[in-house]
Amino acid sequence: MKRTIITMWMAGATLLSSAQDAPLMPYQNPSLSFEERADDLLSRLTLEEKASLMRDSSPAIPRLGIPEWHWWSEALHGVGRNGTATVFPITMQMASTFDDALVERIFTAVSDEGRAKNSIAKRAGRLDNNRCMSFWTPNINIFRDPRWGRGQETYGEDPYLTGRMGVAVVKGLQGPDSTRYRKAYACAKHFAVHSGPEWNRHTFNVNNISERDLRETYLPAFRELVQEADVREVMCAYQRYNDHPCCGSNELIGQILRGEWGYRWLVVSDCGAVSDFLPGRHGTSDDPQAAAADAVLTGTDLECGVEYRHIPAAVERGDLSEADVDRSLRRLLIGRMELGDFDPDSIVPWTSIPPTVVASFPHRMLALEAARKGTVLLQNNGILPLDRGTKVALIGPSAADSVAMWGNYNGFPVHTVTLSEALANRLGSNLYYARGVDYVKPLEGESGNIDMERVMDADVVIFSGGITPALEGEEMPVDLPGFYRGDRQSIELPDVQRKLIRRLHDMGKKVVMVNNSGSAVALAPESEICDAIIQGWYGGELGGEAVAEIIFGEVNPSGKLPVTFYRSDADLPDFEDYSMRGRTYRYFQGDALYPFGHGLSYTTFAVGKPVYKDGKVAVEVANTGSRAGDEVVQIYIRRVDDIAGPQKSLRAFRRVSLLPGEKKRVVIDMPRESFTCWDEATRSMRVVHGSYLLMAGSSSADISAPVAVKIK
């Protein structure tokens, strides 16, 4: 058997060598266009070979000199699942920076690391999943409900903010459009109307949302990534939309994506999504051949899964033609050529990025900058910042949990600085630490015993808790009180933590809470008894350092919430209802605990009334406090005659740095298209002539008196 394997390997190597030594065939000629090269290659492939190239792991075809290829890599907040890499804060924390320029710098660093690791893998002959240059990110689904476990992968609840952040991700990953070769491929996912629940995503049918919600909430970010950022991949979602699986939806893929928006690049299935067409799940296709044909005919070019192996049988049966196969495969071949797969490294500039960029000091500092800017001070009665002489008791399950800080779809950092380590570096013997409780249950044994004498001796208790990526995420085998299959059944802080915080408060201690989570947690009881609350998210490899810097005033907090923090479960509609009624700051009628866009500073700011003229909005911002700091100016609109529309919608933002007493006049481009809204009369998204209210402020709730603007 061993001799047989060696003989087969040598034969394949000889074929590959012969193909490479022979005169170049047209598809191997770098001077031709990618389209010409793809057409030539299509003419040389058998149907079986074509089908093999339409799956996420594509084998080598030695007779044509085609190397092995893999489409599936992850880069949600750093190169994921591929060994050592810089682990940036989760995307929710990136969104909290309201700094899309920073996000583009982050993903430029991520694609640098990805290219370097790809070159290492190719040289070592270890090119497989998670080592290629096709990154299945960003997740630009709208985080409509805080119970969705994958919401931590998104950029929040607002379509505009999500679009700006998503565009930045794509630009950072794919590199400049002026170059012949793409640095990497980015992927806008999951198309479309996808945000939980996780437990039923393989059978769920979203068939009762309005055209308005589709066009005004669920699609805008995808449209921006397609038309502005020229994203090279779009991933279709698991569930059905209007009775058709998303990967087999002509309405979504054919009419909207490829038709209305003119998208000409790749559509990839979510993993196993085409298998979901079969009986027992969606049941829209009778057998594997039909499932493969339905997906290809709709325009799903690449399958992550197993059903496209049935493409030859589907062609033989007449379910689709070879021309249908060629249409999809042509896009895939052009993609591989754009990434330099068929050309020598010497003419693909991105292959020269050195391995020293991986987990480099500049990239780690970039992760720290994102954690600093994305940490949100939710409330503070003046207790913060602390001074270095403070005696601190650090209690709680996330204080020393380095793995939780990595989020999900993560890489592995060289070193993670937890809050306990960061505080110990500053306080030494003035710090007492005890875990106290697990996330959802009491601890057993002496590890759960808190030395109450040490706690009583402390000046301040810092409670570091919340939840963890082990409880919220993608389709997880979790069934615990408040958590099910990756989602949350309740957004309340787990009861064991709530009781411990109450106990610490009742002991007469001042309590600062650091909440770590991927989404909103209902903290109403804690808001009444804690002296300060910090939202630390899952802060990446230096998240603990960033929180410590804020606690001691070394950094002035400036993060803003990209989601609404509701008061309790009672504020939430039915999780399975995709209508936007009552959801997010745009439609929620209640009193949010911490509204969208909220975030405090150690200084104070005054944001004036906006002035709109010639496609620009101008706002005066003043630092009225005693410390230098950053404010995020947020611009919202509302169409006056749109009674059924959003209460307000974010349409511009700008992060501004100000010294104490300094004033700046901030001017932001806001072209006429910024006033695009749903028009019920034409049932379309367009700029409707008429009156609009323009609002500026520090959050969606802290805004100036509306200014009337006429748009023609």
Side-chain angles (χ1 to χ4, degrees):
M1 174 63 74
K2 183 176 181 181
R3 175 175 292 181
T4 302
I5 292 173
I6 292 174
T7 302
M8 291 173 64
W9 178 85
M10 290 180 65
T14 300
L15 284 169
L16 182 57
S17 176
S18 298
Q20 290 174 336
D21 293 340
L24 288 179
M25 289 184 275
Y27 78 87
Q28 296 171 314
N29 187 346
S31 67
L32 296 178
S33 71
F34 295 141
E35 291 78 8
E36 290 171 321
R37 297 169 70 183
D39 289 337
D40 177 73
L41 186 51
L42 280 172
S43 70
R44 301 173 188 274
L45 292 163
T46 67
L47 178 59
E48 287 71 20
E49 289 169 340
K50 291 176 181 179
S52 73
L53 297 177
M54 293 174 65
R55 297 174 61 187
D56 67 286
S57 290
S58 302
I61 302 177
R63 73 179 185 87
L64 293 175
I66 298 176
E68 177 185 6
W69 180 260
H70 298 268
W71 288 98
W72 182 2
S73 285
E74 299 290 352
L76 179 62
H77 51 108
V79 175
R81 300 176 176 178
N82 185 10
T84 301
T86 306
V87 178
F88 294 89
I90 62 169
T91 54
M92 282 288 287
Q93 190 159 5
M94 291 189 205
S96 299
T97 69
F98 277 68
D99 189 341
D100 48 342
L102 170 62
V103 171
E104 184 172 346
R105 285 195 287 132
I106 288 171
F107 281 91
T108 298
V110 172
S111 55
D112 280 351
E113 295 195 16
R115 267 292 177 180
K117 293 173 80 67
N118 175 256
S119 296
I120 293 168
K122 284 198 297 185
R123 286 194 293 269
R126 297 182 60 238
L127 194 63
D128 54 17
N129 280 346
N130 298 310
R131 291 184 172 90
C132 66
M133 293 311 298
S134 162
F135 292 114
W136 288 352
T137 200
N139 183 338
I140 53 169
N141 293 130
I142 296 302
F143 195 4
R144 66 184 174 92
D145 191 301
R147 288 167 289 198
W148 186 34
R150 296 193 73 179
Q152 63 176 291
E153 303 174 28
T154 75
Y155 294 88
E157 70 185 32
D158 181 72
Y160 177 78
L161 179 62
T162 297
R164 298 325 304 158
M165 295 295 174
V167 166
V169 173
V170 174
K171 289 182 176 180
L173 286 178
Q174 294 188 171
D177 292 334
S178 58
T179 58
R180 175 173 171 81
Y181 297 97
R182 296 275 66 76
K183 190 180 184 185
Y185 263 27
C187 179
K189 66 183 189 183
H190 310 82
F191 192 67
V193 197
H194 179 78
S195 54
E198 286 297 298
W199 68 269
N200 66 355
R201 63 184 186 168
H202 301 289
T203 58
F204 190 46
N205 186 19
V206 182
N207 65 350
N208 61 352
I209 69 165
S210 68
E211 185 76 7
R212 173 173 204 152
D213 284 345
L214 174 70
R215 299 285 182 163
E216 196 170 49
T217 297
Y218 293 110
L219 294 186
F222 285 98
R223 185 184 65 246
E224 284 188 53
L225 267 63
V226 166
Q227 296 187 334
E228 180 180 345
D230 203 15
V231 68
R232 288 307 205 264
E233 296 181 55
V234 172
M235 178 181 285
C236 44
Y238 282 114
Q239 83 282 347
R240 276 172 286 161
Y241 172 72
N242 283 347
D243 305 325
H244 297 281
C246 290
C247 292
S249 170
N250 188 58
E251 179 181 359
L252 290 176
I253 297 174
Q255 296 174 18
I256 296 174
L257 180 63
R258 297 205 186 275
E260 294 179 24
W261 300 348
Y263 182 68
R264 60 193 181 94
W265 304 107
L266 313 183
V267 174
V268 54
S269 80
D270 208 337
C271 294
V274 178
S275 296
D276 287 347
F277 291 16
L278 298 172
R281 291 196 168 179
H282 295 314
T284 55
S285 302
D286 292 335
D287 57 30
Q289 293 96 313
D294 290 345
V296 172
L297 289 171
T298 302
T300 299
D301 306 304
L302 177 71
E303 186 203 15
C304 180
V306 298
E307 306 309 334
Y308 276 18
R309 63 186 174 178
H310 299 288
I311 283 176
V315 171
E316 182 179 354
R317 195 169 72 179
D319 291 352
L320 74 165
S321 69
E322 192 162 354
D324 298 320
V325 175
D326 288 351
R327 182 174 55 249
S328 282
L329 182 55
R330 186 176 189 268
R331 289 190 279 254
L332 295 172
L333 294 174
I334 291 171
R336 289 179 63 166
M337 291 170 185
E338 274 210 314
L339 290 168
D341 181 47
F342 291 172
D343 294 333
D345 286 355
S346 60
I347 64 171
V348 181
W350 306 115
T351 60
S352 64
I353 295 174
T356 52
V357 302
V358 177
S360 62
F361 180 77
H363 289 182
R364 298 191 77 227
M365 291 303 97
L366 194 56
L368 178 58
E369 180 183 353
R372 287 167 172 164
K373 289 183 174 180
T375 299
V376 185
L377 180 60
L378 297 177
Q379 67 180 56
N380 180 27
N381 65 6
I383 191 173
L384 296 180
L386 303 180
D387 64 53
R388 289 291 189 95
T390 305
K391 290 185 178 180
V392 172
L394 176 63
I395 311 294
S398 64
D401 190 347
S402 60
V403 175
M405 295 173 62
W406 302 344
N408 63 359
Y409 281 94
N410 58 282
F412 301 96
V414 173
H415 178 67
T416 304
V417 179
T418 63
L419 182 58
S420 63
E421 179 181 339
L423 293 182
N425 289 340
R426 289 164 171 79
L427 296 173
S429 61
N430 276 345
L431 176 69
Y432 165 68
Y433 164 69
R435 183 177 174 90
V437 293
D438 199 352
Y439 288 99
V440 295
K441 60 184 179 181
L443 290 173
E444 297 179 1
E446 64 176 330
S447 62
N449 295 334
I450 300 174
D451 184 342
M452 290 304 176
E453 288 187 13
R454 295 290 301 275
V455 173
M456 288 302 297
D457 186 50
D459 301 313
V460 173
V461 173
I462 297 176
F463 182 86
S464 181
I467 52 181
T468 162
L471 295 172
E472 58 171 347
E474 181 178 6
E475 199 176 15
M476 301 166 64
V478 174
D479 188 2
L480 293 168
F483 303 90
Y484 182 64
R485 299 285 294 276
D487 294 321
R488 287 189 286 164
Q489 295 174 312
S490 169
I491 63 170
E492 303 290 338
L493 185 70
D495 194 51
V496 291
Q497 297 183 53
R498 180 158 282 171
K499 287 179 178 177
L500 181 53
I501 293 173
R502 170 62 70 177
R503 182 184 178 192
L504 294 168
H505 170 76
D506 289 348
M507 291 168 59
K509 305 310 297 180
K510 296 179 178 179
V511 179
V512 173
M513 181 182 183
V514 177
N515 184 67
N516 295 106
S517 62
S519 54
V521 175
L523 299 172
E526 290 68 43
S527 71
E528 297 174 359
I529 62 175
C530 290
D531 295 271
I533 300 178
I534 296 171
Q535 178 62 24
W537 307 109
Y538 303 134
E541 62 183 78
L542 288 165
E545 173 66 20
V547 171
E549 290 175 346
I550 287 171
I551 285 174
F552 288 100
E554 299 158 23
V555 167
N556 196 349
S558 59
K560 301 285 187 175
L561 291 179
V563 290
T564 301
F565 271 49
Y566 302 96
R567 291 185 174 275
S568 72
D569 290 333
D571 289 332
L572 303 179
D574 179 358
F575 188 12
E576 296 184 34
D577 181 3
Y578 268 71
S579 167
M580 290 306 297
R581 288 189 303 271
R583 295 190 183 281
T584 76
Y585 79 95
R586 295 164 64 230
Y587 287 99
F588 180 55
Q589 298 291 331
D591 179 26
L593 181 62
Y594 306 116
F596 174 89
H598 169 77
L600 301 179
S601 169
Y602 293 149
T603 190
T604 54
F605 299 96
V607 179
K609 287 187 177 183
V611 176
Y612 186 74
K613 185 178 181 181
D614 298 331
K616 298 181 185 295
V617 61
V619 183
E620 187 174 89
V621 188
N623 183 340
T624 56
S626 58
R627 295 180 57 126
D630 285 8
E631 176 62 297
V632 176
V633 179
Q634 302 163 41
I635 308 296
Y636 297 86
I637 70 164
R638 177 185 172 93
R639 184 158 67 90
V640 173
D641 294 336
D642 188 9
I643 306 302
Q647 300 167 109
K648 59 180 74 74
S649 295
L650 182 71
R651 291 302 163 90
F653 58 84
R654 176 70 57 81
R655 176 178 278 267
V656 185
S657 297
L658 294 166
L659 297 172
E662 185 180 10
K663 294 181 181 180
K664 285 185 180 178
R665 183 174 181 267
V666 178
V667 180
I668 308 173
D669 287 337
M670 196 170 170
R672 183 176 181 274
E673 290 72 26
S674 300
F675 294 86
T676 298
C677 298
W678 174 255
D679 177 30
E680 189 64 35
T682 61
R683 299 194 62 76
S684 66
M685 294 290 292
R686 69 186 193 94
V687 179
V688 181
H689 297 185
S691 298
Y692 291 77
L693 298 180
L694 192 64
M695 298 157 271
S698 299
S699 78
S700 61
D702 182 9
I703 55 177
S704 62
V707 174
V709 174
K710 288 283 188 181
I711 300 296
K712 297 181 180 180

